[in-house]
């Protein structure tokens, strides 16, 4: 979800709620403890230099059960962070603590926000010799002695 979509979705809500990928709801007394622009500058395994930018919000729950963040207040936080976020309409990521700090994408179901799983991937498959489709032995979940993976 892009920042513009996030802000548009916020403007339609009377209250905020976020759910984890397994359906568990984040407690409604959460805080947004950070809002900013995360820049990742790296070299992929094919040797290409890349830059990735995301708008990041950190969600934190505490013992302060009386706290309730409203959509209007979150829009104000976004506005205040505008100097840091800049004018880019980047993807929104959410950091949330479960057994470790996780980074999630974000989706909107019309009533609330869903934290979506993020996955690793090879960005240089054409340089690494990764086939377009998984070999039959890999697709079957096993490795054969002549398959080249053992």
């Amino acid at each position: 979800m892009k920042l513009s979509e996030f802000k548009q979705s916020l403007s339609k809500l009377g209250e905020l709620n976020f759910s984890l990928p397994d359906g568990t709801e984040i407690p409604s007394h959460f805080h947004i403890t950070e809002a900013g622009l995360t820049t990742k500058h790296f070299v992929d395994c094919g040797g290409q230099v890349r830059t990735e930018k995301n708008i990041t919000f950190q969600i934190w729950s505490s013992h302060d059960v009386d706290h309730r963040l409203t959509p209007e207040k979150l829009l104000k936080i976004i506005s205040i962070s505008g100097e840091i976020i800049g004018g880019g309409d980047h993807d929104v990521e959410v950091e949330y603590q479960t057994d470790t700090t996780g980074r999630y994408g974000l989706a909107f179901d019309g009533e609330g926000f869903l934290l979506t799983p993020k996955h690793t991937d090879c960005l240089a498959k054409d340089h690494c010799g990764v086939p377009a489709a998984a070999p039959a032995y890999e697709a079957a979940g096993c490795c054969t002695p002549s398959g080249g993976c053992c």
Side-chain angles (χ1 to χ4, degrees):
M1 168 179 282
K2 299 285 187 191
L3 181 61
S4 60
E5 297 169 297
F6 184 52
K7 290 178 358 182
Q8 183 179 27
S9 298
L10 284 170
S11 69
K12 298 176 184 176
L13 295 175
E15 62 181 38
L16 282 175
N17 56 60
F18 289 85
S19 298
L20 292 166
D22 68 1
T24 304
E25 289 190 17
I26 292 175
S28 59
H29 57 276
F30 68 87
H31 298 250
I32 298 291
T33 56
E34 295 178 9
L37 178 67
T38 303
T39 303
K40 181 179 175 182
H41 194 195
F42 60 101
V43 176
D44 69 23
C45 59
Q48 183 175 347
V49 176
R50 297 178 184 261
T51 301
E52 181 181 286
K53 294 184 178 195
N54 293 293
I55 307 299
T56 304
F57 296 98
Q58 185 179 83
I59 294 178
W60 178 70
S61 295
S62 168
H63 58 277
D64 174 15
V65 296
D66 295 325
H67 183 269
R68 298 290 185 273
L69 183 64
T70 65
E72 296 81 18
K73 177 76 174 180
L74 183 49
L75 284 166
K76 186 173 181 178
I77 291 169
I78 293 169
S79 178
I80 292 168
S81 65
E83 187 175 313
I84 294 168
I85 291 173
D89 192 24
H90 303 292
D91 286 327
V92 173
E93 281 188 341
V94 173
E95 293 179 348
Y96 184 68
Q97 179 79 39
T98 53
D99 54 338
T100 188
T101 302
R103 288 180 25 195
Y104 301 89
L106 198 60
F108 183 64
D109 68 2
E111 296 179 11
F113 294 99
L114 311 171
L115 277 60
T116 59
K118 296 187 68 108
H119 304 280
T120 60
D121 194 7
C122 175
L123 300 176
K125 291 180 182 88
D126 55 333
H127 287 91
C128 295
V130 176
Y137 63 84
E138 189 177 305
C142 62
C143 187
T144 63
S146 62
C149 67
C150 301

